[in-house]
């Protein structure tokens, strides 16, 4: 069972103060949207890939692409026809399907989406949920919102587990020596519905139980809430300075370009 | 583990003049009806008084109202479910009628039957801290209480672990630790001793009762309580609560057997179905495992190692072991849901034994998961039973009757947990399989229902594997028992080798 997106480690990103990482997460996400320059977004992208490769490992660099590849395929197929302009590479009648502008726009979107996925992947791989919550509380995010986040992160792996259990149950719903029939794509999609309905029902059933559990933990009490965990001093300050310098550098670069 | 074990009884219910902490007066409850599903009165006119330091065990078969009672006392029902509640509940002499659950937590705390429903956070210490934070306690006090509670429940080593990675027993200890830290007067424990080993039961009960806490333990099987701890007993039967001290002893014992709350030992009223009485060692070989190995990605602490295992037609094999010993992993391998890293699984196909693919094992094996909700996904009982099958109406109605299901048009989602477990059994009863694996089904079924499902599946000329924590069940139902520990079979016990008083832990000890 998957229990967390966080993977224990000892890399310099793991050791970076989670408040700094949270700041960088927001900064890069916004940065990807405030510039249209492919050169700048590519630089951001390469920098994020460098961070992933040097902290999680080379294999980790493929993870963002793996996560969103169906979306990237859609982007690659649907974007070019909507951005005609420049040299035309493919047309049907009067309709321009692939042109220079279309390709540039597609590249920009692919780099942007993959980069943003990469920075989120890096953040959640190297930051424990407790550190994230403490950082959010440090930034004065209300307790109720951090609690929702905790519960969401706690339940997403649980739902993946439920989905696996239900699909496993489906595999076993056949008689011994029954004829093995090739299942069509249409039937596969049709069979997916009862699975999703079952997962949905179980998730909905978890709502009142969760609410009960929260009330049994005093949630709803009018007393001012105290804190058990406090954010502790994080380690490698020079590396954090390095990251800050990188931010400044990218900002200067985007201004020049 | 801390604290000396008391040699003398630390509680006596005959002690008089003690402070009444919890009083239930004329308590009755009925769940609301839904279209197509009417709920009867769950219980009526319950009277129960618990004094300071009392330890009362309320026994009742699944669906008898134990969990509902615990949630009524803690203010969760009817707040979350609706229904009609009459009578009164007094905690420390004050009525709880107008109080919200979060206003009661310093007086009465509870541990749910399923710990996964109660655990919220992603670290053990923050889980214990949560209610204290809600009450605004100072950090230094919380830190002290958390360390002491973890120590008292012998789980200090788990302080920073993610609860999702703990075994079922460890999760229950974590929730008990949470109560130790919060220190309410009344502890309501719903099937909490299940999955805990005897040493932990002794340690935890001793600690709680030393603090003179009032404990209400709800259980569907008579739990083994250490000899030096005395308890009061009550039994739910047909919507009424009977107290042992008010009944002649023989009537109390009869009540236990009638309700299927004890595994019949010298019972005269309970007998095994005929199909379960025969020993089955000479049926044809159905399944053979050789040198099977499996390990989970990223988990270096566990690996499954089964050198040799065979099963014959009509045979019932029990697999007993603690959480994480590899029982369910073996079940998944035998049903083709996960594939072993190496080794061979052969199954009978006609006259020959042949190596099985995952797809062949999917068809060969019926695996009744521990949680029935993972295997029930359609809107009505009829659709559920007919899924992928062309069922005759007679077969359908016979099956509904055999498994005591509430009706063909009833939505399974609205049925009780026990009824959903019976439906799960009925689903596999209608499928032709050569092997059935029943994973921890005893936790939500009465002995009678459990026995009924096993005997009906056995009639299908298949082999059965029962996965359980309960050595007594294993002794009672199976031809052979394997004890598993850390992914390996460490001991085999044939039916005729069983000692009646032998517990799982005695067996392990004997093996070492």
């Amino acid at each position: 069972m998957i229990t967390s997106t966080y993977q224990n480690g000892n890399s310099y990103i793991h050791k970076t103060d989670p408040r700094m990482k949270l700041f960088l997460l927001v900064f890069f996400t916004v940065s990807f949207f405030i510039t249209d320059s492919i050169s700048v977004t590519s630089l951001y992208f390469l920098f994020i890939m460098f961070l992933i490769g040097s902290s999680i490992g080379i294999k980790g660099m493929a993870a963002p692409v793996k996560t969103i590849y169906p979306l990237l395929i859609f982007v690659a197929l649907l974007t070019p026809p909507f951005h005609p302009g420049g040299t035309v590479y493919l047309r049907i009648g009067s309709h321009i399907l692939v042109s220079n502008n279309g390709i540039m726009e597609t590249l920009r979107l692919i780099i942007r989406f993959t980069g943003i996925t990469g920075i989120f992947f890096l953040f959640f791989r190297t930051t424990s949920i407790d550190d994230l919550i403490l950082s959010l509380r440090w930034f004065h995010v209300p307790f109720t919102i951090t609690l929702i986040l905790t519960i969401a992160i706690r339940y997403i792996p649980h739902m993946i587990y439920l989905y696996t259990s239900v699909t496993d149950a489906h595999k076993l719903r056949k008689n011994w020596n029954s004829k093995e029939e090739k299942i069509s794509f249409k039937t596969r999609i049709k069979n997916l519905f009862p699975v999703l309905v079952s997962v949905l029902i179980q998730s909905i059933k978890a709502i009142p139980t969760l609410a009960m559990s929260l009330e049994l933990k005093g949630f709803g009490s009018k007393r001012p809430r105290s804190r058990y965990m406090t954010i502790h001093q994080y380690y490698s300050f020079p590396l954090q300075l390095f990251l800050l310098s990188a931010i400044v550098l990218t900002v200067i670069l985007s201004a020049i370009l | 583990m801390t604290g000396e074990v008391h040699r003398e009884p630390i509680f006596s219910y005959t002690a008089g003049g003690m402070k009444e902490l919890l009083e239930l007066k004329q308590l009755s409850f009925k769940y609301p009806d839904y279209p197509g599903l009417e709920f009867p009165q769950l219980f009526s006119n319950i009277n129960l008084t618990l004094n300071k330091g009392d330890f009362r065990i309320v026994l009742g078969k699944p669906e008898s109202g134990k969990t509902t009672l615990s949630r009524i006392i803690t203010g969760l029902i009817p707040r979350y479910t609706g229904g009609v509640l009459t009578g009164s509940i007094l905690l420390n002499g004050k009525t709880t009628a107008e109080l919200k659950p979060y206003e009661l937590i310093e007086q009465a705390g509870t541990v749910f039957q399923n710990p996964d429903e109660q655990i919220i956070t992603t670290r053990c210490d923050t889980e214990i801290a949560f209610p204290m934070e809600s009450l605004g306690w100072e950090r230094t006090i919380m830190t002290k209480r958390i360390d002491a509670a973890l120590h008292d429940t012998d789980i200090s080593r788990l302080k920073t672990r993610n609860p999702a990675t703990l075994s079922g027993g460890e999760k229950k200890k974590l929730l008990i630790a949470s109560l130790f830290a919060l220190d309410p007067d009344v502890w309501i424990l719903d099937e909490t001793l299940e999955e805990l080993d005897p040493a932990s039961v002794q340690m935890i009960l001793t600690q709680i009762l030393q603090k003179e806490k009032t404990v209400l333990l709800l259980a569907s099987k008579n739990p083994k309580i250490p000899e030096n701890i005395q308890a009061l007993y009550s039994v739910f039967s047909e919507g009424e609560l009977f107290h042992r001290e008010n009944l002649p002893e023989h009537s109390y014992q009869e009540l236990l057997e009638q309700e299927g709350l004890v595994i019949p030992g010298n019972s005269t009223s309970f007998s095994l179905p005929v199909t379960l009485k025969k020993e089955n060692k000479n049926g044809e070989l159905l399944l053979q495992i050789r040198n099977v190995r499996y390990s989970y990605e990223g988990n270096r602490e566990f690996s499954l190692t089964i050198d040799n295992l065979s099963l014959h037609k009509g045979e019932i094999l029990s697999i007993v072991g603690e959480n994480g010993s590899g029982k369910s992993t073996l079940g998944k391998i035998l049903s083709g849901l996960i594939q072993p890293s190496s080794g061979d699984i052969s199954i009978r196909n006609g006259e020959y034994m042949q190596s099985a693919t995952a797809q062949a094992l999917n068809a060969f094996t019926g695996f009744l998961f521990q949680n029935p909700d993972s295997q029930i996904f359609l809107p009505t009982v009829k659709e559920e039973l007919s899924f992928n099958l062309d069922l005759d109406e007679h077969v359908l109605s016979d099956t509904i009757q055999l498994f005591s299901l509430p009706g063909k048009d009833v939505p399974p989602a609205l049925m009780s947990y026990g009824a959903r477990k019976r439906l799960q059994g009925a689903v596999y009863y209608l499928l032709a399989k050569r092997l059935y694996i029943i994973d921890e089904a005893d936790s939500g079924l009465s002995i009678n229902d459990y026995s009924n499902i096993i005997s009906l599946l056995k009639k299908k000329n298949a082999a059965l594997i029962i996965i359980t924590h309960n050595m007594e069940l294993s002794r009672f139902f199976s031809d052979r028992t394997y004890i598993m520990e850390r992914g390996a079979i460490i001991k085999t016990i044939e039916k005729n080798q069983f000692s009646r008083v032998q517990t799982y832990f005695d067996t392990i000890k004997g093996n070492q």
Side-chain angles (χ1 to χ4, degrees):
Chain A
M1 182 180 168
I2 305 159
T3 52
S4 166
T5 48
Y6 173 68
Q7 205 170 60
N8 236 331
N10 206 24
S11 73
Y12 64 96
I13 302 279
H14 280 89
K15 289 176 182 171
T16 303
D17 192 310
R19 290 165 292 189
M20 176 68 77
K21 284 192 272 187
L22 198 58
F23 176 73
L24 283 170
L25 178 78
V26 176
F27 175 83
F28 275 109
T29 308
V30 173
S31 301
F32 269 112
F33 284 103
I34 56 173
T35 176
D36 273 343
S37 160
I38 287 202
S39 318
V40 176
T41 45
S42 301
L43 268 177
Y44 288 152
F45 177 77
L46 289 174
F47 180 62
I48 289 163
M49 284 299 142
F50 164 74
L51 293 179
I52 294 174
S54 58
S55 59
I56 296 172
I58 303 293
K59 275 186 183 174
M61 291 164 75
V65 181
K66 271 190 196 169
T67 315
I68 57 161
Y69 79 90
L71 176 71
L72 298 182
I73 292 170
F74 272 110
V75 169
L77 290 174
L78 299 178
T79 310
F82 290 98
H83 293 85
T87 314
V88 175
Y89 298 110
L90 181 65
R91 74 161 73 218
I92 295 174
S94 60
H95 296 287
I96 296 169
L97 293 182
V98 183
S99 63
N100 191 47
N101 280 6
I103 289 175
M104 294 310 280
E105 185 59 24
T106 306
L107 274 177
R108 191 178 292 122
L109 288 175
I110 287 177
I111 291 169
R112 190 177 280 167
F113 284 140
T114 316
I116 292 169
T117 311
I119 192 73
F120 272 87
F121 168 76
L122 180 64
F123 180 81
F124 283 105
R125 258 304 143 94
T126 59
T127 313
S128 74
I129 181 65
D130 301 293
D131 281 342
L132 168 62
I133 299 300
L134 287 170
S135 306
L136 289 170
R137 295 290 302 274
W138 190 83
F139 284 115
H140 296 284
V141 173
F143 170 71
T144 315
I145 293 175
T146 59
L147 180 66
I148 290 168
L149 191 69
T150 309
I151 291 168
I153 291 172
R154 147 95 169 74
Y155 275 86
I156 288 167
H158 180 66
M159 284 177 72
I160 295 169
Y161 169 74
L162 277 181
Y163 178 80
T164 313
S165 296
V166 176
T167 44
D168 280 353
H170 267 259
K171 284 183 196 167
L172 302 178
R173 284 287 191 99
K174 53 185 171 186
N175 284 319
W176 170 235
N177 273 344
S178 59
K179 242 186 202 173
E180 280 294 329
E181 288 171 6
K182 206 175 176 189
I183 303 169
S184 67
F185 181 72
K186 194 180 160 189
T187 314
R188 276 175 204 272
I189 297 292
K190 199 179 152 196
N191 286 347
L192 198 62
F193 279 99
V195 175
L196 293 177
V197 167
S198 179
V199 172
L200 188 69
I201 287 173
Q202 289 196 57
S203 308
I204 291 169
K205 279 169 80 176
I207 295 170
T209 326
L210 177 64
M212 286 183 196
S213 177
L214 279 171
E215 287 209 304
L216 287 177
K217 290 180 195 307
F219 188 74
S221 166
K222 302 287 179 287
R223 296 189 208 176
R225 196 173 176 82
S226 57
R227 288 187 200 181
Y228 163 66
M229 296 270 280
T230 52
I231 202 151
H232 52 280
Q233 218 45 64
Y234 270 78
Y235 333 96
S236 50
F237 188 61
L239 282 165
Q240 297 186 20
L241 269 182
F242 164 74
L243 286 168
L244 261 183
S245 313
I247 293 170
V248 173
L249 187 69
T250 47
V251 169
I252 293 168
L253 271 174
S254 51
I256 293 169
L257 294 168
Chain B
M1 182 174 160
T2 57
E4 278 182 37
V5 173
H6 283 233
R7 295 296 165 211
E8 294 301 317
I10 57 176
F11 162 75
S12 166
Y13 61 80
T14 51
M18 300 180 96
K19 189 185 173 192
E20 289 160 351
L21 270 186
L22 175 67
E23 287 178 274
L24 311 181
K25 290 181 178 172
Q26 297 290 308
L27 204 68
S28 302
F29 183 71
K30 182 188 176 301
Y31 279 107
D33 295 330
Y34 294 95
L37 188 65
E38 284 185 11
F39 286 99
Q41 183 76 27
L42 187 62
F43 49 73
S44 302
N45 301 321
I46 284 181
N47 291 297
L48 178 69
T49 301
L50 291 180
N51 295 320
K52 189 176 182 190
D54 275 5
F55 174 33
R56 183 173 288 273
I57 299 171
V58 172
L59 297 164
K61 62 185 175 191
E63 305 153 50
S64 58
K66 303 184 301 297
T67 298
T68 303
L69 180 64
S70 74
R71 292 184 181 185
I72 287 172
I73 296 170
T74 46
L76 299 171
I77 289 179
R79 181 173 163 80
Y80 281 94
T81 59
V84 182
L85 176 70
T86 56
S88 64
I89 303 164
L90 300 176
L91 255 175
N92 276 320
K94 290 176 187 165
T95 178
T96 62
E98 301 301 321
L99 296 175
K100 305 276 190 314
Y102 53 79
E103 293 166 316
L104 291 168
I105 62 170
E106 284 175 288
Q107 296 171 69
T110 187
V111 173
F112 283 1
Q113 181 176 4
N114 178 359
D116 288 327
E117 291 179 346
Q118 200 171 359
I119 292 170
I120 283 176
T121 71
T122 51
R123 261 175 63 147
C124 290
D125 54 350
T126 55
E127 182 66 30
I128 300 171
F130 198 114
M132 294 188 282
E133 288 177 320
S134 302
L135 296 170
W137 291 12
E138 278 181 28
R139 188 170 180 272
T140 46
I141 296 172
M142 285 194 273
T143 308
K144 272 184 196 168
R145 292 258 183 142
I146 289 167
D147 288 341
L150 288 166
H151 186 257
D152 288 350
T153 44
D154 197 26
I155 52 167
S156 297
R157 67 193 184 285
L158 306 175
K159 184 176 180 179
T160 58
R161 276 263 296 271
N162 183 343
T165 65
L166 306 182
S167 72
E170 287 169 337
K171 283 176 187 170
K172 289 197 170 176
K173 282 187 178 179
L174 171 63
L175 292 170
I176 293 168
S178 197
L179 290 190
F180 268 120
L182 197 59
D183 201 30
D185 297 325
V186 179
W187 293 43
I188 300 161
L189 308 177
D190 193 356
E191 304 277 11
T192 307
L193 302 190
E194 270 199 3
E195 301 183 53
L196 293 185
D197 58 81
S200 297
V201 170
Q202 165 104 23
M203 172 189 70
I204 287 167
L205 286 180
T206 304
Q207 303 261 15
I208 300 171
L209 296 171
Q210 266 178 347
K211 291 175 194 284
E212 288 194 76
K213 296 296 166 190
T214 303
V215 181
L216 184 64
L217 174 69
L218 305 149
S220 53
K221 284 180 209 74
N222 208 352
K224 282 196 170 165
I225 300 298
E227 282 175 11
N228 63 319
I229 294 175
Q230 283 189 7
L232 292 157
Y233 288 86
S234 300
V235 180
F236 260 120
S237 177
E238 294 175 6
E240 289 186 61
L241 190 64
F242 297 92
H243 304 308
R244 185 181 189 175
E245 62 269 27
N246 299 338
L247 293 173
E249 187 56 24
H250 71 271
S251 305
Y252 171 71
Q253 293 301 336
E254 277 172 20
L255 196 59
L256 291 182
E257 290 190 5
Q258 175 197 312
E259 294 295 313
L261 299 171
V262 284
I263 298 165
N266 301 320
S267 166
T268 48
S269 61
F270 184 95
S271 63
L272 277 175
V274 176
T275 47
L276 292 180
K277 282 183 178 169
K278 298 171 193 164
E279 286 196 27
N280 298 282
K281 290 179 183 169
N282 302 318
E284 64 181 2
L285 183 65
L286 285 184
L287 176 129
Q288 180 118 44
I289 296 180
R290 286 200 190 90
N291 303 319
V292 161
R293 305 283 182 271
Y294 180 79
S295 53
Y296 289 97
E297 202 182 322
N299 182 355
R300 290 181 190 168
E301 290 172 14
F302 173 84
S303 69
L304 189 81
T305 310
I306 306 290
D307 292 328
N308 194 7
L309 185 153
S310 57
L311 265 173
H312 296 77
K313 192 164 100 177
E315 189 177 11
I316 302 182
L317 168 72
S318 282
I319 300 181
V320 182
E322 289 184 322
N323 288 85
S325 59
K327 307 184 300 293
S328 296
T329 303
L330 178 59
K332 283 184 179 177
I333 286 176
L334 292 178
S335 48
L337 297 176
I338 51 176
Q339 296 200 49
S341 330
S342 61
D344 178 66
I345 302 170
S346 297
I347 55 175
R348 177 164 297 279
N349 191 1
E351 293 192 5
Y352 305 100
M353 296 294 288
Q354 61 183 76
S355 284
T357 60
Q359 287 77 15
L361 285 169
N362 288 166
F364 185 84
T365 308
F367 190 2
L368 281 77
F369 295 167
Q370 196 170 349
N371 178 4
D373 297 329
S374 302
Q375 293 188 303
I376 294 170
F377 26 76
L378 290 168
T380 64
V381 167
K382 182 183 174 178
E383 287 170 271
E384 197 64 62
L385 293 175
S386 313
F387 184 76
N388 273 354
L389 297 174
D390 186 16
L391 272 194
D392 184 80
E393 272 295 321
H394 291 294
V395 177
L396 183 71
S397 56
D398 284 352
T399 308
I400 286 172
Q401 203 176 354
L402 278 172
F403 286 86
S404 309
L405 299 172
K408 64 178 182 178
D409 297 320
V410 174
L414 295 180
M415 285 161 37
S416 68
Y417 186 76
R420 296 203 300 278
K421 279 222 157 188
R422 295 198 297 275
L423 174 61
Q424 188 190 16
V427 163
Y428 279 100
Y429 174 73
L430 290 170
L431 289 169
K433 300 278 188 182
R434 306 303 313 273
L435 168 66
Y436 293 98
I437 301 173
I438 303 172
D439 192 359
E440 308 272 2
D442 52 298
S443 62
L445 290 170
S446 68
I447 293 291
N448 298 345
D449 284 339
Y450 186 63
S451 166
N452 186 45
I453 290 177
I454 290 174
S455 74
L456 286 167
L457 292 179
K458 193 163 176 282
K459 276 183 188 166
K460 310 273 293 181
N461 271 333
L464 263 76
I465 294 179
I466 297 171
I467 294 174
T468 181
H469 288 283
N470 192 319
M471 200 69 173
E472 284 291 284
L473 280 181
S474 153
R475 175 192 68 79
F476 197 68
F477 287 108
S478 57
D479 301 312
R480 199 162 24 125
T481 298
Y482 285 155
I483 309 285
M484 282 192 76
E485 197 177 273
R486 277 175 260 151
I489 296 166
I490 58 160
K491 193 174 177 82
T492 306
I493 308 168
E494 298 293 337
K495 195 175 186 77
N496 57 12
Q497 295 173 332
F498 251 108
S499 153
R500 258 212 75 226
V501 292
Q502 196 170 34
T503 66
Y504 163 58
F505 297 94
D506 293 337
T507 310
I508 296 294
K509 206 174 166 187
N511 185 60
Q512 282 166 346

